[in-house]
Amino acid sequence: MSKALDGVRILDFTHVQSGPTCTQLLAWLGADVIKVERAGVGDATRGQLCDIPGVDSLYFTMLNHNKRSITLDTKNPKGKQVLDALIKQCDVLVENFAPGALDRMGITWQHIEQINPRMIVASVKGFGPGPYEHCKVYENVAQCAGGSASTTGFDDGPPMVTGAQIGDSGTGLHLALGIVAALYQRNSTGRGQKVLAPMQDAVLNLCRVKLRDQQRLERTGTMHEYPQYPDGKFGAAVPRAGNASGGGQPGSILKCKGWETDPNAYIYFITQAAVWPAVCKVIGEKGWIEDEAFATPAARLLHLKPIFSRIEQWTMTKTKFEAMEILNQYDIPCGPILSMKEIAEEPGLRQTGTIVEVEHPTRGKYLTVGNPIKMSDSPTEVMRSPLLGEHTDEVLTQLGYSSSEIAALRAERVI
Ligand code: COA
């Protein structure tokens, strides 16, 4: 079966996590992704957080599926010639180097536009234009500068970063969308363009509800669904809301049976207004259905702590899965706190291709996360990540280099 991005060629100059997330997604959608790495060195993540000595790390393998790898010294004049040949033949160049690195290599926008005016040049940077545009940025810096850390955690604790890699992978996803849109626009304009996804912007986009709350706070001085209401104080900025629900339906994380020994024996429980009578029946508080103090959503906001404490008395008598089964019978929105171990072992996720077992020549079998986007006419087959330079000869041959020319480049350490 064909793939959505069949025929699209990506010159992948990405490294670490943000850029590789983007190009991996494009590869899953069918693009031919050629990852350019420094000869003998490669993407730094190949050797980071290693669990097997001398073998590509899971950090690398899980972010670089379905790509081809070539090694190339792009600062060597002969390497630059190869790079120019690639630029001429590819549709998109994706990079997430430190600000200015591409220009320092001589690969300026003007240079690219001159040799391939149809090329789309897509970049992840830490910040957009402004005082921080020259900064190097990693995940947690973006989480802090994008508003996530100041709004995550508990009110009486410090700002907190989240385990979801919203700065790196989140920005990579934004960039992929920009690239696909630019490819679409090129169909009518015939021209490439620059696409920039700053990590601060992507994190802020994912935190947009908190900027909503900032403005609500400034207008009304309070926010009734936050745990600070009604007893605590609100300051000038949106406070950390613990595990409170981000929307208009109050929710909380509650202990389940076994919580004393299992750190993940918890459930997220949402007291959606539409199912409030069912909640009362399930927990054995039928009187709350008519009781003025609990009958309406506005009244309940004044009593969320005792309400959740009473619901927790019930959830603590059930495992998280038993509670899920009962609550789902009444359409009460809830979700078990799943550990990575439980997710890895979940058969349903294997069946949908969300968790995939991959065979790697030096690592053996490992688990990865498959394509979260499922398309009926463009199925994803997850292929292992390439070894360093595995496709150098193949790609150079496709570019028209003879085997003796390739051997000469190798002897001169250009590839
Ligand atoms: N041949 C020759 N040189 C190469 C090369 C190749 N194939 N590939 C990379 N290089 C060079 C670069 O040109 C650069 O050289 P320069 O400093 O002389 O200009 C150098 O390698 C290192 O690149 P840099 O991006 O500065 O790497 P770093 O390890 O110092 O920084 C980051 C890493 C992630 C902090 C930085 O790349 C960055 O801020 N990127 C943008 C934001 C981002 O994506 N962050 C999230 C990462 S998950």
Side-chain angles (χ1 to χ4, degrees), residues 13 15-20 36-39 44 59 71-76 95-102 104-105 124-126 135-139 167-168 199:
F13 243 142
H15 64 157
V16 202
Q17 184 181 166
S18 64
V36 180
E37 300 180 75
R38 255 185 295 183
Y59 195 2
T71 52
L72 191 64
D73 179 356
T74 55
K75 287 183 173 163
N76 178 301
E95 62 93 21
N96 68 310
F97 289 127
L102 211 57
R104 286 194 289 280
M105 268 186 217
V124 169
K125 294 288 166 261
C135 298
K136 288 189 175 184
V137 168
Y138 283 107
E139 171 71 47
D168 281 340
M199 294 167 75

Side-chain angles (χ1 to χ4, degrees), residues 9 11 34 70 72 77-91 107 111 115-116 119 395-396 398-401:
R9 278 158 306 186
L11 180 49
I34 302 167
I70 70 163
L72 191 64
K78 287 188 181 158
K80 263 199 80 183
Q81 280 172 13
V82 176
L83 191 60
D84 280 354
L86 281 165
I87 290 172
K88 280 182 195 149
Q89 294 214 353
C90 287
D91 299 281
I107 323 286
H111 175 75
I115 60 174
N116 182 358
M119 176 157 264
V395 170
L396 288 183
Q398 282 174 352
L399 286 175
Y401 283 79

Side-chain angles (χ1 to χ4, degrees), residues 93-128:
L93 185 157
V94 191
E95 62 93 21
N96 68 310
F97 289 127
L102 211 57
D103 286 354
R104 286 194 289 280
M105 268 186 217
I107 323 286
T108 60
W109 166 247
Q110 288 74 15
H111 175 75
I112 296 167
E113 221 189 356
Q114 201 177 14
I115 60 174
N116 182 358
R118 286 175 59 78
M119 176 157 264
I120 291 152
V121 178
S123 305
V124 169
K125 294 288 166 261
F127 293 92

